[in-house]
């Protein structure tokens, strides 16, 4: 089963993942991946090592290259957009 979008709200998207069906993100620097259940395996283009998240852990995408988020078995992740930068010259 491909990654399934199960919830969306302002600045957040939640996905159900299954093994060997990665969620692909590109041009997503600063997005935070939060593991909600299971184990997430993250591969980031240009990084020499992969990252493993368990439920309750999170990871911030460091660059704009391709990021793959896969499950070990099955799991759920939430993708959180980066906080907007404050307006320059404002009050």
């Amino acid at each position: 089963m491909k990654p399934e979008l199960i919830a969306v709200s302002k600045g957040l998207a939640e996905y159900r993942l299954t093994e060997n069906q990665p969620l692909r993100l590109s041009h997503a620097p600063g997005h935070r991946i939060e593991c909600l259940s299971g184990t997430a395996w993250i591969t980031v283009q240009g990084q020499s090592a992969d990252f493993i998240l368990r439920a309750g852990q999170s990871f911030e995408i460091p660059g704009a290259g391709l990021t793959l988020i896969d499950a070990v078995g099955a799991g759920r992740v939430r993708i959180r957009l980066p906080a907007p930068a404050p307006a320059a010259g404002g009050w």
Side-chain angles (χ1 to χ4, degrees), residues 2-3 6 13-14 18 21 23 27-29 47 65 67 73 83 89:
K2 292 184 180 182
I6 55 176
E14 196 170 308
T18 55
Q21 296 293 322
L23 175 63
H27 308 292
Q47 298 291 311
T67 299

Side-chain angles (χ1 to χ4, degrees), residues 3-89:
E4 177 186 0
L5 180 62
I6 55 176
V8 176
S9 64
K10 188 174 183 174
L12 300 172
E14 196 170 308
Y15 292 88
R16 183 175 295 122
L17 303 175
T18 55
E19 197 164 347
N20 297 319
Q21 296 293 322
L23 175 63
R24 300 169 58 90
L25 300 175
S26 59
H27 308 292
H31 287 58
R32 181 163 293 282
I33 302 164
E34 301 169 352
C35 184
L36 302 177
S37 67
T39 301
W41 182 339
I42 302 169
T43 302
V44 179
Q45 184 178 16
Q47 298 291 311
S48 60
D50 289 347
F51 304 90
I52 301 294
L53 299 181
R54 294 189 182 0
Q57 296 180 317
S58 64
F59 172 80
E60 186 172 312
I61 298 174
L66 178 63
T67 299
L68 300 176
I69 308 165
D70 205 349
V72 177
R76 284 186 352 199
V77 295
R78 179 184 297 136
I79 310 299
R80 183 180 301 271
L81 298 176

